[in-house]
Amino acid sequence: MDNGAIDDVDRAILYALQADARNTSSGDIAERTGTSDSTVRKRIRRLESDGVIKGYSASVDYQRSGYPLRMLLYCTASIPERGELIPDILDIDGVVSVQELVTGEQNLLVTVVGESDSDITPVAQALLDMGVTVADEVLVRTHETTPFGRFDAERHDEE
């Protein structure tokens, strides 16, 4: 991989890991990519050390785990501070993700999970205490993800 370029094998690895990292072995990926098991393991280690793969996590259905509220809080923070605030926001109990937005008046999207409204209100107060304004709140019914399609060579061969 020259200068951090991602090739077709790397994309296939990323797609397979996004689809099901827990049940996909390096041998499975090697078979799909026509490479060896050791090549796939080396590529995964390199993608991890380069920060392309940032980690592995479980996809949790919060509703089924007893936390039926998923709230998106569209927030505004001072532009010079917004990126620096992210670790502190992630430390707030109930916050599961923070996205830095670069267009529009709202520049942070905070996702909060809770059992009831009383779990969400302290998060909004903690944000206010940090100097972050909550501009809008959106209740989410469902949240689904899929692997990034451009990493799937088979899908792009059909186009």
Side-chain angles (χ1 to χ4, degrees):
M1 191 163 84
D2 297 331
N3 300 325
I6 302 292
D7 65 13
D8 288 342
V9 173
D10 294 327
R11 282 188 275 282
I13 290 168
L14 294 171
Y15 186 83
L17 293 176
Q18 281 185 310
D20 189 2
R22 181 178 180 144
N23 296 307
T24 303
S25 70
S26 54
D28 295 334
I29 299 170
E31 193 174 301
R32 287 185 207 164
T33 59
T35 60
S36 71
D37 188 20
S38 64
T39 296
V40 170
R41 286 193 311 272
K42 287 176 189 172
R43 296 264 191 139
I44 290 172
R45 281 193 299 272
R46 190 194 66 241
L47 290 165
E48 290 169 344
S49 68
D50 288 351
V52 174
I53 297 174
K54 295 170 64 172
Y56 301 87
S57 61
S59 178
V60 176
D61 184 325
Y62 293 108
Q63 187 166 9
R64 287 187 179 179
S65 67
Y67 299 94
L69 292 182
R70 181 187 295 250
M71 185 76 69
L72 303 179
L73 305 177
Y74 288 88
C75 304
T76 304
S78 76
I79 291 172
E81 294 177 349
R82 69 180 173 203
E84 296 169 9
L85 289 170
I86 292 173
D88 293 331
I89 295 170
L90 286 168
D91 283 340
I92 300 170
D93 189 36
V95 172
V96 295
S97 76
V98 179
Q99 297 175 50
E100 186 175 1
L101 310 175
V102 295
T103 60
E105 189 174 322
Q106 287 80 45
N107 54 23
L108 292 171
L109 175 57
V110 179
T111 304
V112 182
V113 171
E115 192 172 359
S116 68
D117 288 341
S118 63
D119 294 329
I120 307 298
T121 303
V123 174
Q125 186 59 55
L127 291 167
L128 288 171
D129 292 346
M130 290 179 180
V132 175
T133 303
V134 178
D136 198 7
E137 300 174 357
V138 177
L139 184 61
V140 177
R141 180 183 306 262
T142 62
H143 174 88
E144 301 295 330
T145 62
T146 189
F148 183 52
R150 292 200 181 166
F151 290 157
D152 184 8
E154 291 174 11
R155 186 173 173 181
H156 279 274
D157 289 343
E158 295 171 1
E159 294 177 357

